[in-house]
Each structure stands twice: as structure tokens, then as C-alpha cells.
């Protein structure tokens, strides 16, 4: 028997106690996980597809919370500390020089007696009493905060907080999606192993209720039949004649033109609605009836919601004629709807930008922007984003309250009527719900620059949506037979979110770098554009660092860097192709080996038989 | 909860923690459920470790009814009268799971340690190797060490549900099994052995998330 030396004994003991410590720490952190019990019970009742939606929602709540913390630390905290005299600091206000006095006029309308309904309107649209609060950009008309030892550069902090939250969102999303991407890449290779995956990993052992198990059976049946059908269709496509192919492709071209036309029509409608709303918003509040005022304020949001409601129906009809395989149909429709939803916000922001920079249809020369209508244009863009967010929340609550619950009640209690029987209970449609929350998150990303408290509003909104959707799911929904697989869903959700982030960066970049910042409010009254803060800061660096920064951002560096990146990417693609070929060769070799083995065993048994016969 | 005799000793807990993938809490919970199945007078710690519980009793546990389920097709044909109608459970692989984990000679009852084994393999922290090994044994309906066409067609029937109208048609079944064998049968002998199965499972992205029981 081998005895362990003292050292080995101690090593083994300490490694075991370390493992136990790690396990205990892990146990404790799982208790801290937000909504753990709710999500587990949803997983048990409805399967992993719907559970991934709620995990995604939880991720967005955490993301918004972290974004708000960044903005709070960098921008809000110094302002609040000084305003409420918690620390011994003061504001630094530099009067703007060189700008026309007309650009710095900012009339804040404050009527003495506020009617109750105008209070509600202000709350819902961010005007009136909310306009001057720290909710919007216009409140931060401060050029610096003077603490005891240093001056805190608020404009620089504002811009850096924007860059920081965009970079953080990008990194976090990419980190989370790396797992899903790897498995998706494996699966998309010639539908490799999709059948084995469905059969061997098809049964979700988390399912705990009978009805859900029946549902799982029917969804597996549906999926298997759909896959087999798709394989038959693919074989049929491979056997198409060339004239049929030409006919199909010309039909597809025509239908894609129709899709583009529909998109263009929606964008134009949003453009006109925004312009109409902006022009008529300037009328006096008392001259309008309550409903009309609210309608005009919310007109862009209403048009966007209507467009997002109608276009999926049109796309679903069109795609039938394009004769794709069923799986591809679903994916293409979802991608078109995603693009539609997210592009509408960009169109809204671009419309606003074009209105802001045009004075009576001519480019503005005095201040660079239309200072008569938009003395503080960032605040007004922030108000539009705020309105979109509030309207989105109202619509979700209204649909749940006035469509889902009555539908469930009608279907349960009036099931004798044929109409309700056909209509059936609500299904929890995952793609639509995911698009909804990605839409909300895109608004938050764009709006956080113009309205620093918007991420906090978004966090609250997503928390409310979580509970509302959970209640709606548990009490009104029956699961749909077309299930989303968990591994597929996570990657799909994060891909859509990434598209939203990219579409959000475009208007932000244009607003920060191109449009002159307003001279009447905000931290950038002394700069031409918002981005100018950064070059000014760079010019205060020591000269060696300055030349380094200038070198990195010049073309002489960027073009070779880009070419090297392309070469590296090409190398990795070639490597992956070579690995694939090696895998195929090894599989062939394995099957040859087994054939050899079988041949040898055959020969051996024959030889044994011969020997036995000879002995007899 | 319970009398003082129903707590496991610390050394036993540590030993079980080392041997399985379960945490301390999960082991205690499993022991509590197991003791509820035993008659009142046999609930002390020593007796609970020696006792064996038949399949029907385990299946009658309300919590477990949700966790472990009966495999309908084979059992229905062979042992229809034996199962009480109260076994209303959702998982179609119930019977196979119990049969695989049972160490009794007649393979129809589970002791506490078998039960812990079962929960350990299905827990979150078990390695993919272990899970794929046990999955292979569960799917091998005729216990011959390979998955042949019969095993596969029984497996597909389990997944699509019982009943005549829920099965795939014969041509669909043939097409499906041909596809499965083409994807996973590397040596082209018409059956899937353990290493081929493990190879296929290692590339399967859904296996880890679906082959677990949430405690």
C-alpha cells in the first residue's frame, strides 16, 4: 500500500476544500440571480424555447441598469452633488463667445395655472414641467464642475459616457452570442446532424406537466414531418429544369421589388407624419381639444405601430409565392420584419434631423440649425424618443389587457360559438415579442444620449413587461406547436439585438458629429459640434501622445490596418475549409477501417470453419 | 423536519457529494423524498439506505410523478395490468430510466443510492461523457449494446407520442431512420454503437440543456 507523503495529503485536502468553497460560492450567487424561480417554473411548464425569451428580457434589464449606472456615475453624480450642495463644489459656466446672441435664446414656456390634463400631457410627452428636469439634455447647461482640487470636464464626460455605453453593449452582446454562434455554425453546415440532434436531444426532460408533454409530442411530430418535407422539397428543387429556374428567379425579383416598395411607402408615411406632427405641435395648447392634442403629439408613434402591424401580414402573403423551403421562408420573413421595425426608428430620427437643419427649406446659416423652431433640438429629439418608449409600453399593456384576457375569457366561456372555437386561445408568439423588446432597446440606445435618464425608464419598463408577459403567459396562452429550439433562439435574439445596436449607432453618429450642437442649452454651447470636445481634449495632451493619436487616426494607418485584417480573416476562412476537408477524409477512413475489420473477421471465421472441418 | 433519525450523517453527505454531481442541498432533498415512500417505522437512516422501493411506489410520489416518467410502448404491451392508473406521468422514458439505474436482480426497484445516481446523472453539473453514456443505455430498448433500426423506431415513437394517429407513416419512418443512420453510423454497419453515439452527442448543441432534471 502506498502511503501519501504529508505534502501530497495536504495538497489533496486543500484542493478538495477549495472545490467545496467554490461550490458554496456558486450556490450563493445563484440565489442572487434575478427572477431565478420564475424563469425555472416557466421552463418547467412551457419548455426551454419560451424560457429563453424571458432570460433575454432579464439580460436587457441588467444591461439597461448598467448603462444607467455608467451615465449616473459620469454625468448625473457631479451635477446632483453640486446642485444639492452635498460637496463643496460649484458650476463653471463659460459664456459662449463668437456665437450670435439669437442662437442662445431658449424660451421655456411655463404657464402659471396648469390644468390637470396638460399635466398628464406633459407627463406622457416630456414637455412642460418635465422639459427642464434632469430627464433631458437641456438641463445640463454646465461647462464644468469645480471641485476642490480639479475641474471636472462635464462635456467630455457626457460624450465619453455615450461611447462607453455603446461599447459596453456591443462587447456584452458579442460575448453572450459567441456560444450560440459556434453551435449555429456547426448546425448550418449542410444541415449536418439536424436529425440526430432532434431525435437524441429532442425530449426536454425539464417538462413536468402532462399537457405540456402532449404538446411537446405534437411539436416534435410537427418538426420531424416539416424536416422530412423540407428534404423532399430540396430534392425537388435540385431537379428543376432551367426554364423553371428562370421563371422562379424573375418572379422572386418582382416580389422583392414589391417588398421594397412597401418599405418605401411605410417610410414615406412616417416621414410625412413626423413633419405634420412637428409643424402642428407649435400651436397653442388651449386652442386644441384634449384628444386632438394627444393625437398630434403621438402621431409618429401611432403610424410606426400601424406599419409594424400591417407589414408582417403583407410579407407573410408575399413569401408564399416565392417558393422557398419552409425553414428559409420563416427566417426570411422574420429578417424582413426585423429590418422594417428597426429602420422605422432611423427614419424618424433622420426626419427630425432634416427638419432641424432646414430653415424654410434652405440650409440654416445663422446657427447651423433652425433656432426659431428648435432652440434646444437635442431636448426635442429626446422628447420624441421618450414618447416612443411610453407609447410602446402603453400599447403592450393595452394589448394584454384588452385583447389577450378578453380572448381567453371568451374562448373559455363561450366555446359553444363556432367563431370563438376557431379563433382559439392566444399563442405566445416568440418572434413578435422579441422584436417588440428589441425595438424598445433600440429606442433606449438612441435616446440615452439626448435624455440621460432614459435607461432608467427603460429598466422600469422592461421590469413591468416581464411581469405582464409572465402573467399573460400563465393565464391566457397556450404554447404554439411551432417551437423555437433553445440553442437556436439565443443566437437569433442576440443577432436581432446586434442589428438594433448597429442601426442605433448610425443616427447617433450623425447627430454627434455632423449637426451643430445647440447654443442655447446643454454642455456643448461652446463647441461647434458635440464631437469637437474630443479633438480639443487631445490637443491638451503632451506632443508625443498627440502625434501618436494623430498617427492612429490618419489614413496612412487605417488602410494598411484594414488590409491586414482582411488577410487574417481570409487565413482563418481557409483554415476552416481545410479542417472541414480533413474531417470528411477521416470519416471516410473510419468507414474503410470497419470494412477491413469485417473482411478480416469473415476470413477468420472461414479459416476456423475449414480447420474444424479438416479435423473432423 | 422529520425526526432526528432521518438526517444523514456528515460523513455520508460528504461521501455522496464526492461520488455524485449533486450538491448537499439536493442530496438532502432527495433523501427526504425517498423517506416519504417508506413505511413510518422504517424511516431511520440505516434502514433508509438499505431499503428498496418498487417502481410503482417511486412513480406515485407527487414530486417524482413530475420528474420520472413511464415508457409507454414496451411496457403497455408486456405489463399492462401491473401499472396503477394513478401513474399519470409525462416523460415517455420513465420505465427505461428506472430500468437502467436499478441495481436489483429483477431490475424493477430503486434503492436510495440508485436514486441518487439517477439524480446525479441528470443534474446540471454532470459531465457530458456521463450523460451520453447513460443516454445510450436509456435509448437501447433491447439492451444489446447497440442502437439498431428497431431501437431507433421505438425511440421515434416515444417522441411523437402514443396512439395510432400520432405515429409517423412507414415511409416517413424509413426516411427518418435512413437519415439518422447516415448522419451517425460511421462504420456503415447499420447500427449505432456507443462511440458513434457519443461522437454525435458531442456535436449536438441541445443535448446538455434537454438531458437534465431540474431539482
Amino acid at each position: 500500500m502506498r502511503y501519501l507523503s504529508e505534502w501530497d495529503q495536504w495538497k489533496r485536502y486543500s484542493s478538495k476544500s477549495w472545490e467545496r468553497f467554490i461550490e458554496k460560492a456558486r450556490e450563493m450567487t445563484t440565489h442572487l440571480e434575478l427572477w431565478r424561480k420564475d424563469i425555472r417554473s416557466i421552463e418547467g411548464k412551457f419548455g426551454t424555447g419560451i424560457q429563453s425569451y424571458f432570460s433575454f428580457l432579464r439580460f436587457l434589464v441588467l444591461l439597461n441598469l448598467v448603462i444607467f449606472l455608467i451615465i449616473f456615475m459620469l454625468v448625473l453624480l457631479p451635477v446632483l452633488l453640486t446642485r444639492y450642495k452635498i460637496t463643496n463644489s460649484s458650476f463653471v459656466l463659460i459664456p459662449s463667445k463668437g456665437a450670435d446672441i439669437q442662437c442662445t435664446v431658449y424660451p421655456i414656456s411655463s404657464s402659471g395655472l396648469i390644468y390637470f390634463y396638460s399635466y398628464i400631457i406633459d407627463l406622457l410627452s416630456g414637455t412642460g414641467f418635465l422639459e427642464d428636469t434632469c430627464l433631458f439634455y437641456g438641463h445640463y447647461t454646465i461647462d464644468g464642475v469645480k471641485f476642490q482640487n480639479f475641474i471636472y470636464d462635464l462635456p467630455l464626460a457626457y460624450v465619453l459616457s455615450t461611447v462607453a455605453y455603446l461599447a459596453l453593449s456591443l462587447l456584452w452582446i458579442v460575448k453572450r452570442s459567441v456560444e450560440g454562434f459556434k453551435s449555429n455554425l456547426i448546425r448550418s453546415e449542410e444541415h449536418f446532424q439536424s436529425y440526430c440532434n432532434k431525435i437524441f436531444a429532442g425530449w426536454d426532460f425539464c417538462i413536468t406537466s402532462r399537457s405540456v408533454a402532449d404538446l411537446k409530442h405534437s411539436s416534435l411530430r410537427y418538426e420531424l414531418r416539416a424536416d422530412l418535407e423540407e428534404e423532399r422539397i430540396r430534392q425537388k428543387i435540385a431537379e428543376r429544369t432551367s426554364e423553371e429556374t428562370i421563371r422562379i428567379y424573375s418572379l422572386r425579383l418582382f416580389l422583392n421589388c414589391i417588398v421594397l416598395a412597401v418599405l418605401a411607402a411605410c417610410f414615406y408615411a412616417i416621414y410625412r407624419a413626423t413633419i405634420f406632427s412637428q409643424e402642428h405641435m407649435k400651436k397653442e395648447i388651449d386652442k386644441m381639444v384634449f384628444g386632438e392634442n394627444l393625437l398630434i403629439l403621438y402621431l409618429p408613434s401611432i403610424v410606426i405601430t400601424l406599419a409594424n402591424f400591417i407589414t408582417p401580414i403583407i410579407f407573410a402573403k408575399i413569401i408564399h409565392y416565392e417558393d422557398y423551403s419552409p425553414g428559409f421562408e420563416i427566417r426570411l420573413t422574420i429578417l424582413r420584419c426585423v429590418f422594417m421595425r428597426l429602420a422605422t426608428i432611423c427614419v424618424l430620427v433622420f426626419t427630425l434631423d432634416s427638419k432641424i437643419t432646414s430653415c424654410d427649406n434652405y440650409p440654416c446659416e445663422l446657427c447651423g440649425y433652425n433656432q426659431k423652431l428648435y432652440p434646444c433640438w437635442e431636448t426635442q429629439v429626446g422628447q420624441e424618443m421618450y414618447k416612443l418608449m411610453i407609447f410602446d409600453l402603453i400599447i403592450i399593456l393595452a394589448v394584454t389587457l384588452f385583447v389577450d384576457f378578453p380572448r381567453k375569457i371568451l374562448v373559455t366561456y363561450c366555446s359553444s360559438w363556432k367563431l370563438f372555437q376557431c379563433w382559439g386561445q392566444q399563442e405566445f408568439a416568440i418572434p413578435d415579442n422579441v422584436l417588440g423588446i428589441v425595438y424598445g432597446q433600440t429606442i433606449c440606445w438612441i435616446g440615452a444620449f439626448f435624455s440621460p435618464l432614459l435607461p432608467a425608464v427603460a429598466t422600469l419598463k422592461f421590469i413591468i413587461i416581464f411581469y405582464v408577459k409572465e402573467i399573460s403567459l400563465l393565464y391566457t396562452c397556450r404554447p404554439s406547436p411551432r417551437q423555437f429550439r433553445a440553442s437556436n433562439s439565443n443566437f437569433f435574439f442576440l443577432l436581432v439585438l446586434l442589428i438594433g445596436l448597429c442601426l442605433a449607432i448610425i443616427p447617433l453618429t450623425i447627430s454627434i458629429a455632423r449637426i451643430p450642437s445647440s447654443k442655447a442649452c446643454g454642455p456643448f454651447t461652446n463647441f461647434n459640434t458635440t464631437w469637437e470636445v474630443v479633438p480639443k481634449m487631445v490637443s491638451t495632451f503632451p506632443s508625443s501622445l498627440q502625434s501618436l493619436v494623430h498617427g492612429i487616426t490618419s489614413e496612412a494607418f487605417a488602410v494598411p490596418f484594414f488590409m491586414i485584417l482582411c488577410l487574417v480573416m481570409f487565413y482563418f476562412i481557409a483554415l476552416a475549409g481545410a479542417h472541414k476537408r480533413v474531417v470528411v477524409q477521416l470519416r471516410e477512413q473510419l468507414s474503410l477501417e470497419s470494412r477491413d475489420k469485417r473482411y478480416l473477421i469473415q476470413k477468420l471465421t472461414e479459416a476456423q470453419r475449414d480447420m474444424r472441418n479438416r479435423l473432423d | 423536519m422529520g425526526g432526528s433519525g432521518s438526517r444523514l450523517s456528515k460523513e455520508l453527505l460528504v461521501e455522496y457529494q464526492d461520488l455524485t454531481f449533486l450538491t448537499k442541498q439536493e442530496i438532502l432533498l432527495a433523501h427526504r423524498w425517498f423517506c416519504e415512500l417508506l413505511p413510518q417505522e422504517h424511516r431511520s437512516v440505516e434502514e433508509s439506505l438499505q431499503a428498496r422501493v418498487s417502481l410503482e411506489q417511486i412513480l406515485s410520489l407527487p414530486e417524482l410523478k413530475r420528474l420520472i416518467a413511464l415508457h409507454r410502448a414496451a411496457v403497455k404491451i408486456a405489463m399492462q395490468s401491473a401499472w396503477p392508473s394513478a401513474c399519470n406521468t409525462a416523460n415517455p422514458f420513465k420505465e427505461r430510466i428506472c430500468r437502467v439505474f436499478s441495481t436489483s436482480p429483477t431490475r424493477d426497484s430503486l434503492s436510495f443510492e440508485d436514486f441518487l445516481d439517477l439524480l446525479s446523472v441528470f443534474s446540471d453539473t454532470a459531465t457530458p461523457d456521463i450523460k451520453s453514456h447513460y443516454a445510450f443505455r436509456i435509448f437501447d430498448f433491447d439492451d444489446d449494446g447497440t442502437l439498431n433500426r428497431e431501437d431507433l423506431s421505438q425511440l421515434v415513437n416515444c417522441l411523437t407520442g402514443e396512439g395510432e394517429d400520432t405515429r409517423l407513416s412507414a415511409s416517413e419512418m424509413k426516411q427518418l431512420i435512413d437519415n439518422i443512420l447516415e448522419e451517425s453510423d460511421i462504420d456503415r454497419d447499420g447500427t449505432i454503437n456507443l462511440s458513434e453515439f457519443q461522437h454525435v452527442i458531442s456535436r449536438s448543441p441541445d443535448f446538455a440543456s434537454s438531458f437534465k432534471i431540474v431539482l
Side-chain angles (χ1 to χ4, degrees), chain A residues 133-356:
Chain A
T133 57
C134 56
L135 179 60
F136 291 115
Y137 173 96
H139 179 76
Y140 301 92
T141 314
I142 299 156
D143 292 292
V145 180
K146 185 163 193 283
F147 289 99
Q148 269 157 358
N149 306 333
F150 64 99
I151 296 185
Y152 185 78
D153 194 353
L154 194 72
L156 184 65
Y158 202 95
V159 168
L160 286 184
S161 73
T162 308
V163 172
Y165 80 71
L166 288 173
L168 172 81
S169 311
L170 181 67
L171 286 173
W172 203 345
I173 294 174
V174 167
K175 172 180 168 293
R176 262 180 91 99
S177 63
V178 160
E179 296 275 331
F181 179 66
K182 277 193 257 188
S183 66
N184 222 42
L185 200 61
I186 292 177
R187 184 157 346 108
S188 64
E189 279 179 17
E190 325 135 29
H191 294 265
F192 182 64
Q193 296 194 330
S194 62
Y195 286 108
C196 283
N197 189 35
K198 289 206 176 88
I199 297 292
F200 295 133
W203 184 257
D204 199 345
F205 284 71
C206 295
I207 290 181
T208 56
S209 87
R210 184 77 244 228
S211 51
V212 178
D214 284 336
L215 198 86
K216 183 79 183 172
H217 284 308
S218 60
S219 90
L220 274 169
R221 217 167 35 237
Y222 176 89
E223 255 192 74
L224 287 173
R225 287 208 172 116
D227 275 345
L228 294 171
E229 171 86 24
E230 183 156 342
E231 193 187 339
R232 283 195 288 265
I233 289 183
R234 236 182 300 137
Q235 270 180 330
K236 204 173 58 154
I237 289 179
E239 294 162 7
R240 258 195 215 141
T241 61
S242 51
E243 52 176 49
E244 258 185 43
T245 321
I246 294 178
R247 188 184 65 87
I248 294 267
Y249 275 115
S250 48
L251 182 65
R252 278 188 199 162
L253 192 65
F254 172 65
L255 288 172
N256 274 313
C257 291
I258 294 189
V259 166
L260 286 174
V262 167
L263 283 177
C266 289
F267 292 162
Y268 184 70
I270 294 169
Y271 171 74
R272 285 240 61 94
T274 313
I275 293 200
F276 182 81
S277 160
Q278 291 291 317
E279 279 167 7
H280 290 256
M281 235 166 43
K282 303 299 170 187
K283 272 200 230 161
E284 296 294 323
I285 293 183
D286 343 295
K287 288 197 191 143
M288 280 194 249
V289 181
F290 173 60
E292 187 190 346
N293 192 15
L294 216 51
L295 189 69
I296 289 192
L297 280 175
Y298 273 88
L299 194 62
S301 323
I302 295 175
V303 172
I304 289 181
T305 310
L306 274 178
N308 286 326
F309 184 70
I310 296 176
T311 41
I313 303 177
I314 299 180
F315 289 155
K317 284 266 147 48
I318 287 182
I319 204 148
H320 275 310
Y321 297 106
E322 291 189 60
D323 202 17
Y324 290 116
S325 59
F328 190 72
E329 261 186 30
I330 298 175
R331 264 177 274 152
L332 192 60
T333 318
I334 291 179
L335 274 177
R336 282 181 180 154
C337 293
V338 163
F339 183 71
M340 169 74 208
R341 261 220 165 179
L342 301 178
T344 51
I345 310 176
C346 283
V347 169
L348 179 69
V349 180
F350 281 134
T351 318
L352 284 174
D353 282 348
S354 69
K355 278 235 76 183
I356 287 165

